[in-house]
Amino acid sequence: MNQLLTIFNSVLPISEEEQNFMKQHLFIETLKKGEKYCEQDKVCRKIGFVLEGVLRVVKTDSDGNEFIPYFTSEGHFAVAMESFTDKVPSDESVEALTNCSVATITSEAFGLFEKEVTNFSKIVHQLKEKAFIEKFKMKSEMLVDDAETKYAKLLIRQPSIIQRVPQKQIALFLGITPHTLSRLRAKV
């Protein structure tokens, strides 16, 4: 939990009193591999900060085909942001690929933090902006980069994903077959 407060404090300061208030409303959630943190077609009512483990964000189309826009692991947030912010059903799920430990902020606690913690809204705005830019850049690259370049960038950005996530999931994220991924891994 302290890791999350450290992230918030790195953006803008939060008083000791406010941090203690936040600790009273945060809780640690444990997920088993395969468990969903947020579900597609349901309103996401929590934001998680990953303390341990790897989750995938996955979208499933009407034919049952899965698409993985990104993975999230330690030190990053897990949330279906549009659903959480706008209180609408999510178009994606957030699912544990390993056993996970997540510091969770419910939508109720989030509302309390916005009212009671001086810099909370500004902190969230800056963190959302940073995440939006990262996701936009990643999505743009996924559209134009070839498979080898995508894999190389994944190795640089999230090297632990390669060792901790099944090859099938990585191939799905890269938009290639597991066989093509095996060939790429052999080259590197």
Side-chain angles (χ1 to χ4, degrees):
M1 205 166 325
N2 289 333
Q3 295 168 310
L4 175 58
L5 295 173
T6 299
I7 295 285
F8 289 159
N9 268 308
S10 72
V11 178
L12 288 170
I14 298 174
S15 73
E16 195 71 38
E17 184 179 304
E18 290 172 326
Q19 288 183 53
N20 289 331
F21 173 77
M22 292 177 81
K23 285 179 185 178
Q24 293 172 10
H25 294 88
L26 293 167
F27 68 96
I28 305 299
E29 200 167 344
T30 303
L31 300 169
K32 291 187 183 340
K33 180 180 176 179
E35 220 175 316
K36 288 194 166 77
Y37 187 73
C38 297
E39 291 188 55
Q40 187 168 324
D41 299 324
K42 292 186 180 179
V43 176
C44 179
R45 301 190 186 282
K46 56 188 176 179
I47 292 178
F49 180 77
V50 183
L51 300 170
E52 185 179 326
V54 179
L55 297 103
R56 72 178 184 154
V57 174
V58 62
K59 295 182 179 205
T60 306
D61 68 15
S62 58
D63 294 328
N65 299 310
E66 292 184 339
F67 303 91
I68 300 176
Y70 60 93
F71 299 106
T72 188
S73 58
E74 293 88 357
H76 295 91
F77 290 91
V79 63
M81 186 54 75
E82 182 181 2
S83 176
F84 181 84
T85 303
D86 297 338
K87 311 282 187 268
V88 297
S90 178
D91 65 348
E92 58 193 17
S93 293
V94 181
E95 179 183 317
L97 286 175
T98 65
N99 291 336
C100 296
S101 178
V102 180
T104 294
I105 305 170
T106 63
S107 55
E108 294 80 14
F110 191 90
L112 282 174
F113 296 166
E114 286 183 310
K115 290 177 188 166
E116 303 293 331
V117 179
T118 308
N119 288 325
F120 188 73
S121 292
K122 290 178 185 175
I123 290 167
V124 169
H125 178 75
Q126 286 186 32
L127 290 172
K128 275 186 185 178
E129 192 173 276
K130 181 181 175 189
F132 175 77
I133 291 168
E134 286 175 14
K135 301 296 182 269
F136 180 78
K137 182 179 177 185
M138 190 181 302
K139 284 182 180 182
S140 296
E141 291 172 351
M142 293 302 278
L143 290 172
V144 296
D145 289 344
D146 62 21
E148 191 170 340
T149 305
K150 290 177 193 178
Y151 183 70
K153 287 181 179 179
L154 180 63
L155 278 171
I156 292 166
R157 285 188 182 129
Q158 295 178 293
S160 72
I161 297 293
I162 303 300
Q163 289 110 26
R164 297 163 66 192
V165 172
Q167 187 168 322
K168 180 181 176 185
Q169 298 296 317
I170 294 170
L172 197 56
F173 167 71
L174 296 172
I176 59 176
T177 65
H179 178 72
T180 302
L181 179 57
S182 291
R183 285 194 332 234
L184 289 175
R185 290 177 94 160
K187 280 184 174 182
V188 178

